[in-house]
Amino acid sequence: MSAPARLNGVIVAIDGPSGAGKSSLTKLLARRLGYINIDTGAMFRSVALMARRAGIGCEQDAELAELCTGLKIGFERDGEGYRVLVNGEDVSKAIRTEEIGILTSCISARKPVRDALLAMQREMGAFGGVILEGRDIGTVVFPDAEVKFFLSASAEERGRRRWLELKARGEEVTLEETIAKVILRDQQDETRKHAPLKRADDAVDIDSTNLSIDEVLDLMERTVRARLLELERN
Ligand code: DC
């Protein structure tokens, strides 16, 4: 393996189904490594929000392509986390509603949207020193990423985590229906035509079902640091 050719460090790709803990772990790992964190789900959510505001439906590919050319999506550090900016507007809260989540699931399956965001994501990560989290980072966006993780947990455990989150927000849902929704979302993400959720052949698998967040974080950090040493030696 050759030394990293990227200016700021390596590229770390984190893929996996929803509820596997990608967002929290990416944020924490980025902080430990001093890397930039790129939440690609937030980018798809931003497109969905802007499409909704512009009255563009999920199947209107030409309009979606046009919309994407006018969007500048970025991230800005904000204390422990980050803000999501679209053309300078802070959309961090607006993209997290249930309604935008549902629309995003459809919008993110459209080819013009994927193509536009693929170009943006490659540009954002080109210099390295970044962790990108999503569904197709290790397979499509950066198949040459130096470190790849595929993070998963059983559907029951992911459903349970989501259910606890919803309950804490005061939402009235049953555990069974939350698990059923997780399974449905997995099927949609795995079977869509463009860039489906798929494990890269060279990804390190981590099943977090029975692990604490700190245990997973330590394992990821050790893996990245070991890879950095290996690259330095060669
Ligand atoms: O990770 P998230 O829940 O914020 O993702 C929102 C939606 O975007 C979800 O339906 C999956 C989709 N997505 C995608 O298709 N490709 C990515 N790289 C990231 C997210």
Side-chain angles (χ1 to χ4, degrees):
M1 197 178 299
S2 60
R6 311 184 205 275
L7 210 57
N8 298 334
V10 297
I11 292 180
V12 180
I14 304 185
D15 291 304
S18 39
K22 293 190 304 294
S23 297
S24 318
L25 284 158
T26 303
K27 226 185 302 181
L28 294 167
L29 186 63
R31 210 178 308 147
R32 281 197 184 181
L33 297 170
Y35 273 24
I36 289 168
N37 165 0
I38 301 176
D39 173 355
T40 63
M43 298 174 77
F44 285 100
R45 286 172 182 270
S46 297
V47 175
L49 175 70
M50 293 306 172
R52 192 179 171 283
R53 282 193 192 163
I56 300 170
C58 180
E59 321 265 288
Q60 291 176 263
D61 282 344
E63 289 80 357
L64 284 173
E66 171 82 28
L67 174 80
C68 287
T69 60
L71 294 185
K72 179 140 184 38
I73 305 174
F75 298 93
E76 198 176 79
R77 219 175 271 261
D78 178 23
E80 301 288 273
Y82 54 87
R83 272 193 287 270
V84 185
L85 302 176
V86 178
N87 298 340
E89 178 193 344
D90 183 352
V91 297
S92 315
K93 278 219 180 82
I95 59 171
R96 301 286 167 200
T97 66
E98 195 66 16
E99 187 200 356
I100 293 301
I102 292 164
L103 184 59
T104 307
S105 156
C106 180
I107 291 263
S108 64
R110 309 305 298 181
K111 186 157 181 352
V113 175
R114 293 217 79 86
D115 288 347
L117 291 199
L118 174 65
M120 278 186 220
Q121 287 157 13
R122 284 190 175 155
E123 199 178 317
M124 290 165 112
F127 293 115
V130 290
I131 309 184
L132 295 101
E133 58 129 328
R135 306 295 192 284
D136 61 338
I137 309 301
T139 50
V140 177
V141 185
F142 283 110
D144 60 343
E146 287 81 2
V147 189
K148 298 179 188 178
F149 293 106
F150 193 81
L151 195 60
S152 64
S154 70
E156 288 71 24
E157 174 60 16
R158 289 182 290 121
R160 194 187 64 84
R161 291 173 190 169
R162 176 91 184 122
W163 177 67
L164 289 173
E165 262 174 41
L166 293 172
K167 263 204 341 183
R169 272 200 244 151
E171 294 191 29
E172 296 268 326
V173 282
T174 67
L175 176 60
E176 290 69 28
E177 67 184 274
T178 313
I179 293 174
K181 273 198 189 152
V182 163
I183 293 172
L184 184 69
R185 176 70 73 90
D186 286 355
Q187 279 166 355
Q188 282 171 353
D189 281 351
E190 283 163 13
T191 56
R192 69 169 178 230
K193 195 164 143 215
H194 305 294
L197 168 65
K198 204 168 142 268
R199 180 191 171 282
D201 291 338
D202 50 351
V204 174
D205 282 302
I206 300 182
D207 182 338
S208 73
T209 308
N210 299 308
L211 297 176
S212 71
I213 194 146
D214 281 336
E215 285 173 317
V216 180
L217 186 60
D218 287 345
L219 179 59
M220 289 177 125
E221 186 184 0
R222 276 202 307 275
T223 307
V224 176
R225 294 205 186 278
R227 181 60 60 91
L228 287 171
L229 272 179
E230 190 186 331
L231 288 165
E232 258 171 39
R233 278 195 208 112
N234 293 314

